[in-house]
Amino acid sequence: MSYQTQTINQLLTAVDKIVDDILNDKHNSIDPYEIALDLNELYPAMMHHHRSTLVYTETIKWFVATGQKLKGEYYPSEIKWNDESAQQFIDEIKIYLPEYHLNKASFALKEDRNTKSLTTYLNDLTEHYGRLLFVRVDLHYRMDGIGEDSIDNFNEHMKVLLKRIEKTNGCFKDLHGYAWALEQGYKNDCGLHCHLLLMYDASKHHKGSYFGQAVGEKWVSIIKGQGHYFNASNPNHVKGFATLGKRGV
């Protein structure tokens, strides 16, 4: 895949994966030839898009730092990685192994805390209100590039959305609670997205699909078409989870 046609999300995901694969290679089975092929594609692409003013994940930082340590005196587009230099890259990346394991443990701990916090929050709401209508909608934002503008714009749009939610009118009327999580995907240009869970008064409302669509359309209007939404409360989507004994939220 050429970095001219590769999306930013695909590039960052690919860079993260190559570092992750190296650091999880317990049996030294990674082929330097394959790594060289990946580096010849990913390293110039990453350096082309890299911005010193942005904060990246640790795996991205290690990838860039290692590449510059080994090949920093050359222009990225002029570098040709071979088996030998790829093996050097592998060896250098493995220096970060202790920090990698520490970060994974820290992330797992935060995930566990977040899960417990959300569970407590939902249990408190259910105990207080009795019946709740759960609505989930995924809000996607199309990034124009890797620069600060795209990320700052997304953050500003999220602030607008959260203010609308707090007012609890329109499509947020009779809302008793909500939770949200941000992620960055890679399958298309809408890499930044928000998983939004809304809890409405079930004594007044029964159609989650209606609210999912209304909230999704509100999001599209806020971002002026710079993205889309997925109504996870659509009956056809929910039906697939129902066969598995799950709610799909």
Side-chain angles (χ1 to χ4, degrees):
M1 182 182 295
S2 172
Y3 75 81
Q4 284 89 353
T5 58
Q6 184 177 40
T7 69
I8 297 299
N9 308 308
Q10 290 171 329
L11 172 61
L12 294 176
T13 300
V15 170
D16 175 79
K17 185 178 186 304
I18 190 175
V19 174
D20 197 67
D21 286 347
I22 292 172
L23 293 175
N24 280 296
D25 181 30
K26 298 179 181 179
H27 305 291
N28 296 319
S29 59
I30 286 185
D31 185 355
Y33 174 76
E34 295 294 334
I35 296 297
L37 292 178
D38 290 336
L39 288 174
N40 281 322
E41 176 185 346
L42 297 177
Y43 183 69
M46 188 66 240
M47 298 311 296
H48 173 77
H49 290 291
H50 185 265
R51 300 292 181 269
S52 60
T53 53
L54 294 179
V55 178
Y56 297 91
T57 61
E58 297 303 314
T59 51
I60 304 297
K61 292 178 184 176
W62 300 336
F63 180 91
V64 171
T66 300
Q68 292 196 315
K69 179 179 181 180
L70 297 175
K71 302 288 187 178
E73 69 272 25
Y74 304 105
Y75 288 110
S77 59
E78 298 176 348
I79 298 172
K80 297 298 180 184
W81 297 87
N82 55 28
D83 290 14
E84 182 180 354
S85 57
Q87 184 61 58
Q88 291 177 327
F89 184 90
I90 293 170
D91 294 339
E92 289 291 335
I93 283 289
K94 288 186 176 181
I95 292 174
Y96 296 104
L97 195 56
E99 189 175 351
Y100 174 76
H101 287 310
L102 183 63
N103 287 344
K104 285 188 67 175
S106 177
F107 180 80
L109 181 61
K110 290 178 182 177
E111 286 279 286
D112 184 60
R113 287 174 177 170
N114 289 340
T115 299
K116 289 180 179 177
S117 176
L118 178 59
T119 300
T120 300
Y121 176 59
L122 294 177
N123 286 340
D124 288 346
L125 283 176
T126 302
E127 183 177 344
H128 182 74
Y129 292 106
R131 294 175 59 238
L132 294 170
L133 174 65
F134 289 88
V135 176
R136 202 196 95 194
V137 56
D138 298 337
L139 310 172
H140 297 260
Y141 183 72
R142 185 171 64 252
M143 294 179 64
D144 292 326
I146 201 171
E148 298 95 323
D149 288 345
S150 290
I151 297 173
D152 288 344
N153 289 341
F154 176 74
N155 288 334
E156 288 302 315
H157 293 317
M158 283 300 303
K159 289 179 182 178
V160 172
L161 176 68
L162 294 175
K163 286 181 180 178
R164 301 280 179 87
I165 291 175
E166 291 294 340
K167 290 181 179 179
T168 62
N169 54 27
C171 59
F172 301 114
K173 186 178 181 181
D174 300 318
L175 185 70
H176 288 326
Y178 67 95
W180 54 281
L182 299 180
E183 289 186 354
Q184 180 168 351
Y186 67 94
K187 291 185 177 180
N188 49 50
D189 59 350
C190 292
L192 288 173
H193 57 277
C194 169
H195 297 291
L196 180 62
L197 179 63
L198 303 158
M199 285 76 80
Y200 290 89
D201 187 340
S203 68
K204 297 180 180 179
H205 304 286
H206 308 283
K207 295 182 178 180
S209 180
Y210 163 78
F211 283 106
Q213 181 178 345
V215 172
E217 291 176 353
K218 177 68 69 177
W219 169 251
V220 172
S221 70
I222 290 173
I223 62 176
K224 296 180 172 59
Q226 186 76 8
H228 63 274
Y229 70 93
F230 174 72
N231 183 2
S233 294
N234 181 287
N236 292 329
H237 180 74
V238 174
K239 189 183 299 182
F241 283 94
T243 59
L244 302 175
K246 300 181 179 179
R247 291 290 301 275
V249 295

